[in-house]
Amino acid sequence: MKFIKKDDFKDSKWSAGVTTEVFIYPEGASVGEKNFDFRISTATCNEKVSNYTPYKGFNRYIAPINNVMNIETAGEKFVLAPYEVLFFNGDDETKSSGDVRDFNLIYKKGLDAMMYALNINNFEYFAKSRAVIFNYDADLKVEGKEFEKFSAVYLEEEKINIEGLGKIIICEF
């Protein structure tokens, strides 16, 4: 188990706000070069309409975490409530609207990944392979240690206990 604290995240500007990279695999890969297998990030969207960077050859999951998000991908429109997860093809033209912070998992096609949100109350979790658990704003502890707000935990084939009540997002890969 490894805690990934806010100070470890990497911020960069994008056309509609700021993207905060939480995790990238393999380590040392670059989102700009698109040489990663999995990338987890959170981003602010402050424009009236935010046009997403296409990720050809990748699949994506997205969920708003603080407000409602209006998103359109491949010509289909969705209204997502906070923590509601949407899967879509990274090749497709995608745009959103709403003043929102979102959470994203982008991964190479041909690989397996899953992203989902849970309301928890003292939760035991087993990572069958790799997983990242993100805590946006809940008062939680992992194995008795503080699980800071706006931070994550990286796991490899291990079981953990999360103490407390709140919402988390789990990315499995």
Side-chain angles (χ1 to χ4, degrees):
M1 173 179 69
K2 177 185 174 193
F3 284 96
I4 309 169
K5 298 186 179 206
K6 183 179 180 178
D7 292 344
D8 299 327
F9 297 171
K10 295 177 187 166
D11 288 343
S12 58
K13 291 189 185 271
W14 74 292
S15 62
V18 176
T19 296
T20 301
E21 185 175 277
V22 174
F23 180 86
I24 195 163
Y25 185 87
E27 193 174 322
S30 164
V31 70
E33 294 178 30
K34 296 183 181 169
N35 62 353
F36 61 92
D37 291 339
F38 305 93
R39 180 181 188 249
I40 298 168
S41 64
T42 178
T44 58
C45 303
N46 302 319
E47 298 296 320
K48 191 166 189 127
V49 174
S50 303
N51 292 306
Y52 287 48
T53 303
Y55 280 90
K56 295 200 180 299
F58 289 82
N59 287 316
R60 299 181 74 165
Y61 284 97
I62 194 166
I65 53 178
N66 67 342
N67 285 318
V68 169
M69 170 188 260
N70 297 294
I71 186 165
E72 183 177 338
T73 184
E76 291 188 59
K77 295 180 181 183
F78 302 90
V79 178
L80 302 178
Y83 290 88
E84 185 176 358
V85 177
L86 176 69
F87 171 83
F88 62 100
N89 186 331
D91 297 353
D92 293 337
E93 185 177 310
T94 303
K95 59 186 174 182
S96 71
S97 62
D99 186 10
V100 67
R101 176 177 285 280
D102 61 36
F103 189 85
N104 306 273
L105 168 61
I106 303 172
Y107 67 97
K108 267 188 193 168
K109 289 183 179 177
L111 299 176
D112 289 326
M114 173 75 80
M115 183 176 111
Y116 53 96
L118 293 175
N119 286 312
I120 63 164
N121 186 0
N122 297 325
F123 180 66
E124 183 178 274
Y125 176 76
F126 177 68
K128 294 177 186 156
S129 59
R130 292 182 179 91
V132 171
I133 301 174
F134 181 75
N135 176 19
Y136 178 56
D137 66 358
D139 291 319
L140 302 172
K141 289 185 177 187
V142 175
E143 298 300 325
K145 296 178 184 172
E146 183 182 1
F147 188 179
E148 294 178 7
K149 294 177 182 178
F150 206 77
S151 72
V153 174
Y154 172 67
L155 306 166
E156 287 185 9
E157 298 179 5
E158 58 193 302
K159 185 182 349 179
I160 61 166
N161 288 299
I162 303 175
E163 302 164 47
L165 175 69
K167 293 183 179 185
I168 59 172
I169 297 177
I170 299 175
C171 298
E172 299 174 332
F173 47 95

